[in-house]
């Protein structure tokens, strides 16, 4: 499959569509966006070469998990981003590969959503299961990663991890509004 470049504006334009979809569609599509954006972020720090591109198509960097692990190993993402991306990947895979009806209202899925770093920052603790905020937390966690990676790609290459939006929100205890 030919690579399609992505940027911050793409995610912002898709968020409305993600909110209009079923839980399964929103989770799979947004999770796929995060996976492909992570690949774009990794490519940003690599040389342009056909052999490198094959790593993403059929090689060692074909999977979301491998991209997450390499990004963390190279210090391109923080531990918090790594952990969030792993949760996003796991939830996305459960929705994509289950032959059964999947919903964000399932207790096992909620427990995974509660692990996202954005959950307590944005929604407060303890989680209120009567409100449908799981999709917002999932999409916002992806949005914060996309914002982080976009910011890093705009900065000089020697300044990695200098402007981590998750750390900035945690330090300021700012509440970020949710909504489509």
């Amino acid at each position: 499959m030919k690579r399609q470049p992505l940027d911050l504006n793409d995610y912002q334009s898709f968020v409305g569509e993600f909110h209009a979809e079923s839980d399964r569609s929103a989770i799979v599509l947004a999770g796929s966006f995060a996976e492909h954006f992570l690949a774009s972020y990794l490519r940003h720090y690599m040389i342009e070469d056909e052999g490198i591109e094959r790593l993403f198509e059929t090689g060692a960097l074909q999977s979301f998990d491998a991209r997450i692990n390499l990004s963390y190993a190279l210090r391109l993402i923080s531990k918090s981003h790594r952990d969030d991306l792993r949760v996003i990947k796991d939830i996305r895979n459960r929705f994509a590969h289950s032959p059964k009806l999947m919903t964000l209202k399932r207790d096992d899925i909620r427990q995974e959503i509660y692990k996202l770093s954005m959950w307590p920052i944005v929604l407060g603790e303890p989680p209120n299961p009567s409100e449908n905020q799981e999709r917002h937390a999932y999409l916002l966690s992806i949005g914060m990663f996309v914002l982080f990676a976009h910011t890093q790609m705009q900065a000089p290459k020697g300044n990695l991890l200098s402007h981590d939006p998750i750390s900035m929100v945690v330090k300021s205890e700012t509440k970020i509004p949710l909504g489509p």
Side-chain angles (χ1 to χ4, degrees), residues 1-6 36 39-40 43 53 56-57 67:
M1 178 190 326
K2 184 170 168 58
R3 168 169 61 122
Q4 297 178 3
L6 298 170
H36 289 279
S40 295
R43 282 183 184 103
E53 193 56 37
F56 291 93
E57 295 169 0
R67 295 170 186 180

Side-chain angles (χ1 to χ4, degrees), residues 10-57:
D10 292 323
Y11 188 75
Q12 291 172 332
S13 67
F14 290 144
V15 169
E17 289 183 39
F18 295 150
H19 282 288
E21 296 287 345
S22 67
D23 281 351
R24 183 184 298 262
S25 295
I27 296 304
V28 171
L29 291 171
S32 178
F33 189 95
E35 177 181 5
H36 289 279
F37 203 86
L38 180 58
S40 295
Y41 182 50
L42 271 169
R43 282 183 184 103
H44 177 78
Y45 296 99
M46 296 179 169
I47 60 171
E48 289 188 35
D49 181 85
E50 188 177 303
I52 299 297
E53 193 56 37
R54 281 196 300 267
L55 289 171
F56 291 93
E57 295 169 0

Side-chain angles (χ1 to χ4, degrees), residues 8 18 40 47 55-56 77 86-87 91 97 99 103-104 107 119 122 128 130 141 147-148 159 163 167 169-170 178 180:
L8 180 61
F18 295 150
S40 295
I47 60 171
L55 289 171
F56 291 93
I77 60 173
R86 284 179 173 170
V87 169
I91 293 170
H97 299 292
T103 175
L104 290 167
D107 287 337
W119 183 262
V122 176
N128 184 350
S130 66
S141 294
L147 176 61
F148 164 77
N159 294 339
H163 303 298
S167 298
V169 171
V170 170
L178 298 175

Side-chain angles (χ1 to χ4, degrees), residues 124-143:
E125 289 190 59
N128 184 350
S130 66
E131 297 179 24
N132 185 17
Q133 297 174 325
E134 290 81 5
R135 183 184 298 211
H136 294 294
Y138 183 85
L139 295 175
L140 183 60
S141 294
I142 293 171

Side-chain angles (χ1 to χ4, degrees), residues 98-155:
S98 175
K100 295 185 176 188
L101 177 64
M102 295 292 288
T103 175
L104 290 167
K105 296 293 183 195
R106 288 176 45 146
D107 287 337
D108 58 331
I109 299 297
R110 279 187 170 153
Q111 292 307 312
E112 291 299 307
I113 295 282
Y114 298 161
K115 294 177 184 176
L116 293 168
S117 62
M118 288 288 96
W119 183 262
I121 296 166
V122 176
L123 305 171
E125 289 190 59
N128 184 350
S130 66
E131 297 179 24
N132 185 17
Q133 297 174 325
E134 290 81 5
R135 183 184 298 211
H136 294 294
Y138 183 85
L139 295 175
L140 183 60
S141 294
I142 293 171
M144 291 302 285
F145 164 70
V146 169
L147 176 61
F148 164 77
H150 171 80
T151 302
Q152 292 299 106
M153 289 187 286
Q154 302 306 309

